[in-house]
mmCIF file of all heavy atoms in Angstrom:
data_model
loop_
_atom_site.group_PDB
_atom_site.id
_atom_site.type_symbol
_atom_site.label_atom_id
_atom_site.label_comp_id
_atom_site.label_asym_id
_atom_site.label_seq_id
_atom_site.Cartn_x
_atom_site.Cartn_y
_atom_site.Cartn_z
ATOM 1 N N LEU A 156 11.527 24.562 -11.472
ATOM 2 C CA LEU A 156 10.199 25.000 -11.900
ATOM 3 C C LEU A 156 9.444 23.845 -12.555
ATOM 4 O O LEU A 156 9.962 23.193 -13.459
ATOM 5 C CB LEU A 156 10.338 26.152 -12.902
ATOM 6 C CG LEU A 156 9.056 26.812 -13.395
ATOM 7 C CD1 LEU A 156 8.417 27.630 -12.286
ATOM 8 C CD2 LEU A 156 9.365 27.713 -14.594
ATOM 9 N N VAL A 158 6.445 22.264 -14.828
ATOM 10 C CA VAL A 158 5.693 22.668 -16.011
ATOM 11 C C VAL A 158 4.585 21.649 -16.286
ATOM 12 O O VAL A 158 4.783 20.443 -16.133
ATOM 13 C CB VAL A 158 6.627 22.763 -17.235
ATOM 14 C CG1 VAL A 158 5.841 23.123 -18.491
ATOM 15 C CG2 VAL A 158 7.730 23.790 -16.981
ATOM 16 N N GLY A 184 15.969 38.213 -23.215
ATOM 17 C CA GLY A 184 15.476 36.998 -22.548
ATOM 18 C C GLY A 184 16.431 35.835 -22.650
ATOM 19 O O GLY A 184 16.021 34.682 -22.809
ATOM 20 N N LYS A 185 17.728 36.106 -22.540
ATOM 21 C CA LYS A 185 18.742 35.069 -22.765
ATOM 22 C C LYS A 185 19.067 34.220 -21.539
ATOM 23 O O LYS A 185 19.805 33.235 -21.644
ATOM 24 C CB LYS A 185 20.022 35.718 -23.284
ATOM 25 C CG LYS A 185 19.865 36.406 -24.639
ATOM 26 C CD LYS A 185 21.146 37.087 -25.074
ATOM 27 C CE LYS A 185 20.959 37.803 -26.406
ATOM 28 N NZ LYS A 185 22.205 38.516 -26.825
ATOM 29 N N ALA A 186 18.553 34.591 -20.386
ATOM 30 C CA ALA A 186 18.863 33.843 -19.169
ATOM 31 C C ALA A 186 18.221 32.460 -19.198
ATOM 32 O O ALA A 186 17.023 32.316 -19.426
ATOM 33 C CB ALA A 186 18.389 34.615 -17.940
ATOM 34 N N LYS A 187 19.033 31.429 -18.946
ATOM 35 C CA LYS A 187 18.545 30.049 -18.964
ATOM 36 C C LYS A 187 18.142 29.606 -17.558
ATOM 37 O O LYS A 187 18.827 29.925 -16.581
ATOM 38 C CB LYS A 187 19.621 29.106 -19.506
ATOM 39 C CG LYS A 187 19.888 29.261 -21.003
ATOM 40 C CD LYS A 187 20.927 28.264 -21.476
ATOM 41 C CE LYS A 187 21.055 28.271 -22.990
ATOM 42 N NZ LYS A 187 19.857 27.711 -23.654
ATOM 43 N N LYS A 188 17.056 28.853 -17.482
ATOM 44 C CA LYS A 188 16.562 28.346 -16.201
ATOM 45 C C LYS A 188 16.218 26.864 -16.327
ATOM 46 O O LYS A 188 15.686 26.427 -17.346
ATOM 47 C CB LYS A 188 15.314 29.108 -15.765
ATOM 48 C CG LYS A 188 15.496 30.614 -15.640
ATOM 49 C CD LYS A 188 16.412 30.996 -14.486
ATOM 50 C CE LYS A 188 16.557 32.514 -14.385
ATOM 51 N NZ LYS A 188 17.446 32.923 -13.282
ATOM 52 N N SER A 189 16.514 26.110 -15.289
ATOM 53 C CA SER A 189 16.118 24.699 -15.278
ATOM 54 C C SER A 189 14.632 24.579 -14.968
ATOM 55 O O SER A 189 14.091 25.320 -14.140
ATOM 56 C CB SER A 189 16.917 23.926 -14.224
ATOM 57 O OG SER A 189 18.232 23.715 -14.642
ATOM 58 N N MET A 190 13.995 23.643 -15.638
ATOM 59 C CA MET A 190 12.593 23.331 -15.382
ATOM 60 C C MET A 190 12.349 21.885 -15.787
ATOM 61 O O MET A 190 13.202 21.245 -16.415
ATOM 62 C CB MET A 190 11.670 24.299 -16.124
ATOM 63 C CG MET A 190 11.963 24.503 -17.588
ATOM 64 S SD MET A 190 11.114 25.969 -18.266
ATOM 65 C CE MET A 190 12.115 27.296 -17.574
ATOM 66 N N VAL A 191 11.195 21.375 -15.418
ATOM 67 C CA VAL A 191 10.918 19.964 -15.690
ATOM 68 C C VAL A 191 9.417 19.753 -15.778
ATOM 69 O O VAL A 191 8.636 20.460 -15.120
ATOM 70 C CB VAL A 191 11.521 19.070 -14.578
ATOM 71 C CG1 VAL A 191 10.802 19.264 -13.240
ATOM 72 C CG2 VAL A 191 11.517 17.609 -14.975
ATOM 73 N N THR A 213 15.693 17.685 -14.010
ATOM 74 C CA THR A 213 15.417 18.774 -14.952
ATOM 75 C C THR A 213 15.104 18.165 -16.317
ATOM 76 O O THR A 213 15.224 16.957 -16.495
ATOM 77 C CB THR A 213 16.626 19.730 -15.102
ATOM 78 O OG1 THR A 213 17.576 19.153 -16.021
ATOM 79 C CG2 THR A 213 17.316 19.987 -13.766
ATOM 80 N N ASP A 214 14.769 19.023 -17.268
ATOM 81 C CA ASP A 214 14.534 18.488 -18.617
ATOM 82 C C ASP A 214 15.834 18.367 -19.406
ATOM 83 O O ASP A 214 15.850 17.857 -20.523
ATOM 84 C CB ASP A 214 13.512 19.342 -19.383
ATOM 85 C CG ASP A 214 14.114 20.595 -20.006
ATOM 86 O OD1 ASP A 214 15.125 21.105 -19.472
ATOM 87 O OD2 ASP A 214 13.567 21.072 -21.016
ATOM 88 N N GLY A 215 16.946 18.858 -18.825
ATOM 89 C CA GLY A 215 18.247 18.759 -19.471
ATOM 90 C C GLY A 215 18.479 19.771 -20.565
ATOM 91 O O GLY A 215 19.583 19.867 -21.103
ATOM 92 N N ASN A 216 17.460 20.554 -20.880
ATOM 93 C CA ASN A 216 17.565 21.517 -21.974
ATOM 94 C C ASN A 216 17.736 22.950 -21.468
ATOM 95 O O ASN A 216 18.412 23.763 -22.078
ATOM 96 C CB ASN A 216 16.313 21.429 -22.854
ATOM 97 C CG ASN A 216 16.427 22.240 -24.112
ATOM 98 O OD1 ASN A 216 17.417 22.159 -24.831
ATOM 99 N ND2 ASN A 216 15.409 23.042 -24.385
ATOM 100 N N HIS A 217 17.105 23.258 -20.345
ATOM 101 C CA HIS A 217 17.235 24.554 -19.679
ATOM 102 C C HIS A 217 16.931 25.715 -20.633
ATOM 103 O O HIS A 217 17.817 26.496 -20.996
ATOM 104 C CB HIS A 217 18.638 24.733 -19.096
ATOM 105 C CG HIS A 217 19.212 23.515 -18.452
ATOM 106 N ND1 HIS A 217 18.682 22.967 -17.307
ATOM 107 C CD2 HIS A 217 20.256 22.719 -18.810
ATOM 108 C CE1 HIS A 217 19.384 21.893 -16.970
ATOM 109 N NE2 HIS A 217 20.328 21.721 -17.863
ATOM 110 N N PRO A 218 15.673 25.848 -21.065
ATOM 111 C CA PRO A 218 15.338 26.911 -22.016
ATOM 112 C C PRO A 218 15.527 28.299 -21.415
ATOM 113 O O PRO A 218 15.460 28.476 -20.198
ATOM 114 C CB PRO A 218 13.861 26.649 -22.330
ATOM 115 C CG PRO A 218 13.356 25.878 -21.162
ATOM 116 C CD PRO A 218 14.498 25.041 -20.688
ATOM 117 N N ASP A 219 15.771 29.278 -22.289
ATOM 118 C CA ASP A 219 15.850 30.649 -21.808
ATOM 119 C C ASP A 219 14.464 31.289 -21.894
ATOM 120 O O ASP A 219 13.519 30.714 -22.435
ATOM 121 C CB ASP A 219 16.903 31.453 -22.569
ATOM 122 C CG ASP A 219 16.639 31.570 -24.065
ATOM 123 O OD1 ASP A 219 15.461 31.642 -24.453
ATOM 124 O OD2 ASP A 219 17.618 31.586 -24.838
ATOM 125 N N PHE A 220 14.340 32.481 -21.337
ATOM 126 C CA PHE A 220 13.039 33.145 -21.277
ATOM 127 C C PHE A 220 12.491 33.444 -22.678
ATOM 128 O O PHE A 220 11.274 33.377 -22.900
ATOM 129 C CB PHE A 220 13.141 34.437 -20.472
ATOM 130 C CG PHE A 220 13.202 34.216 -18.988
ATOM 131 C CD1 PHE A 220 14.363 34.491 -18.278
ATOM 132 C CD2 PHE A 220 12.104 33.742 -18.289
ATOM 133 C CE1 PHE A 220 14.423 34.288 -16.909
ATOM 134 C CE2 PHE A 220 12.151 33.535 -16.913
ATOM 135 C CZ PHE A 220 13.319 33.807 -16.219
ATOM 136 N N PHE A 221 13.369 33.775 -23.601
ATOM 137 C CA PHE A 221 12.934 34.057 -24.975
ATOM 138 C C PHE A 221 12.289 32.819 -25.588
ATOM 139 O O PHE A 221 11.194 32.880 -26.157
ATOM 140 C CB PHE A 221 14.125 34.517 -25.819
ATOM 141 C CG PHE A 221 13.809 34.749 -27.258
ATOM 142 C CD1 PHE A 221 13.264 35.954 -27.685
ATOM 143 C CD2 PHE A 221 14.040 33.751 -28.215
ATOM 144 C CE1 PHE A 221 12.958 36.161 -29.023
ATOM 145 C CE2 PHE A 221 13.733 33.951 -29.548
ATOM 146 C CZ PHE A 221 13.193 35.161 -29.962
ATOM 147 N N GLU A 222 12.967 31.677 -25.480
ATOM 148 C CA GLU A 222 12.447 30.433 -26.048
ATOM 149 C C GLU A 222 11.123 30.038 -25.394
ATOM 150 O O GLU A 222 10.157 29.666 -26.075
ATOM 151 C CB GLU A 222 13.459 29.309 -25.854
ATOM 152 C CG GLU A 222 14.756 29.468 -26.633
ATOM 153 C CD GLU A 222 15.788 28.424 -26.242
ATOM 154 O OE1 GLU A 222 15.958 28.164 -25.023
ATOM 155 O OE2 GLU A 222 16.441 27.876 -27.150
ATOM 156 N N LEU A 223 11.099 30.112 -24.078
ATOM 157 C CA LEU A 223 9.908 29.681 -23.340
ATOM 158 C C LEU A 223 8.716 30.591 -23.627
ATOM 159 O O LEU A 223 7.616 30.111 -23.923
ATOM 160 C CB LEU A 223 10.202 29.666 -21.844
ATOM 161 C CG LEU A 223 9.052 29.217 -20.935
ATOM 162 C CD1 LEU A 223 8.672 27.777 -21.226
ATOM 163 C CD2 LEU A 223 9.431 29.378 -19.458
ATOM 164 N N SER A 224 8.924 31.897 -23.557
ATOM 165 C CA SER A 224 7.815 32.828 -23.752
ATOM 166 C C SER A 224 7.270 32.749 -25.173
ATOM 167 O O SER A 224 6.048 32.814 -25.383
ATOM 168 C CB SER A 224 8.252 34.257 -23.422
ATOM 169 O OG SER A 224 9.301 34.684 -24.271
ATOM 170 N N ALA A 226 7.366 30.093 -27.129
ATOM 171 C CA ALA A 226 6.674 28.808 -27.265
ATOM 172 C C ALA A 226 5.277 28.882 -26.647
ATOM 173 O O ALA A 226 4.305 28.365 -27.225
ATOM 174 C CB ALA A 226 7.493 27.700 -26.602
ATOM 175 N N ASP A 271 21.662 33.206 -15.543
ATOM 176 C CA ASP A 271 21.427 31.767 -15.696
ATOM 177 C C ASP A 271 21.358 31.091 -14.321
ATOM 178 O O ASP A 271 22.108 31.432 -13.402
ATOM 179 C CB ASP A 271 22.558 31.116 -16.485
ATOM 180 C CG ASP A 271 22.599 31.545 -17.940
ATOM 181 O OD1 ASP A 271 21.577 32.028 -18.440
ATOM 182 O OD2 ASP A 271 23.666 31.395 -18.572
ATOM 183 N N LEU A 272 20.460 30.116 -14.218
ATOM 184 C CA LEU A 272 20.410 29.255 -13.033
ATOM 185 C C LEU A 272 19.971 27.876 -13.496
ATOM 186 O O LEU A 272 18.794 27.620 -13.726
ATOM 187 C CB LEU A 272 19.435 29.800 -11.986
ATOM 188 C CG LEU A 272 19.343 28.989 -10.692
ATOM 189 C CD1 LEU A 272 20.700 28.919 -9.994
ATOM 190 C CD2 LEU A 272 18.294 29.562 -9.753
ATOM 191 N N THR A 273 20.958 26.979 -13.663
ATOM 192 C CA THR A 273 20.664 25.638 -14.169
ATOM 193 C C THR A 273 21.283 24.573 -13.270
ATOM 194 O O THR A 273 22.287 24.816 -12.602
ATOM 195 C CB THR A 273 21.182 25.447 -15.601
ATOM 196 O OG1 THR A 273 22.617 25.530 -15.617
ATOM 197 C CG2 THR A 273 20.597 26.498 -16.536
ATOM 198 N N LYS A 289 11.618 17.332 -23.345
ATOM 199 C CA LYS A 289 11.970 18.750 -23.321
ATOM 200 C C LYS A 289 10.727 19.578 -23.019
ATOM 201 O O LYS A 289 9.660 19.367 -23.588
ATOM 202 C CB LYS A 289 12.557 19.174 -24.660
ATOM 203 C CG LYS A 289 13.931 18.573 -24.970
ATOM 204 C CD LYS A 289 14.454 19.087 -26.301
ATOM 205 C CE LYS A 289 15.824 18.507 -26.607
ATOM 206 N NZ LYS A 289 16.342 19.002 -27.922
ATOM 207 N N VAL A 290 10.887 20.519 -22.117
ATOM 208 C CA VAL A 290 9.786 21.389 -21.751
ATOM 209 C C VAL A 290 9.226 22.123 -22.973
ATOM 210 O O VAL A 290 8.003 22.254 -23.129
ATOM 211 C CB VAL A 290 10.237 22.387 -20.667
ATOM 212 C CG1 VAL A 290 9.246 23.551 -20.551
ATOM 213 C CG2 VAL A 290 10.379 21.689 -19.322
ATOM 214 N N LEU A 291 10.106 22.593 -23.851
ATOM 215 C CA LEU A 291 9.647 23.355 -25.017
ATOM 216 C C LEU A 291 8.765 22.521 -25.944
ATOM 217 O O LEU A 291 7.857 23.052 -26.589
ATOM 218 C CB LEU A 291 10.846 23.909 -25.802
ATOM 219 C CG LEU A 291 11.654 25.000 -25.105
ATOM 220 C CD1 LEU A 291 12.810 25.444 -25.990
ATOM 221 C CD2 LEU A 291 10.782 26.194 -24.733
ATOM 222 N N ASP A 292 9.018 21.196 -25.976
ATOM 223 C CA ASP A 292 8.198 20.319 -26.812
ATOM 224 C C ASP A 292 6.749 20.255 -26.297
ATOM 225 O O ASP A 292 5.819 19.977 -27.066
ATOM 226 C CB ASP A 292 8.783 18.917 -26.862
ATOM 227 C CG ASP A 292 10.070 18.859 -27.686
ATOM 228 O OD1 ASP A 292 10.338 19.823 -28.423
ATOM 229 O OD2 ASP A 292 10.800 17.865 -27.562
ATOM 230 N N TYR A 294 5.011 22.666 -25.395
ATOM 231 C CA TYR A 294 4.252 23.818 -25.893
ATOM 232 C C TYR A 294 4.113 23.816 -27.424
ATOM 233 O O TYR A 294 3.593 24.790 -27.982
ATOM 234 C CB TYR A 294 4.919 25.114 -25.428
ATOM 235 C CG TYR A 294 4.777 25.325 -23.926
ATOM 236 C CD1 TYR A 294 5.848 25.141 -23.067
ATOM 237 C CD2 TYR A 294 3.549 25.683 -23.387
ATOM 238 C CE1 TYR A 294 5.711 25.336 -21.703
ATOM 239 C CE2 TYR A 294 3.411 25.865 -22.024
ATOM 240 C CZ TYR A 294 4.470 25.684 -21.192
ATOM 241 O OH TYR A 294 4.336 25.852 -19.841
#
Side-chain angles (χ1 to χ4, degrees):
L156 184 71
V158 177
K185 297 177 182 178
K187 289 182 172 291
K188 303 292 181 180
S189 286
M190 50 195 75
V191 68
T213 81
D214 81 333
N216 188 49
H217 320 294
D219 61 34
F220 284 112
F221 176 84
E222 293 172 316
L223 181 63
S224 61
D271 292 340
L272 182 60
T273 65
K289 292 182 179 180
V290 164
L291 292 180
D292 289 345
Y294 290 106

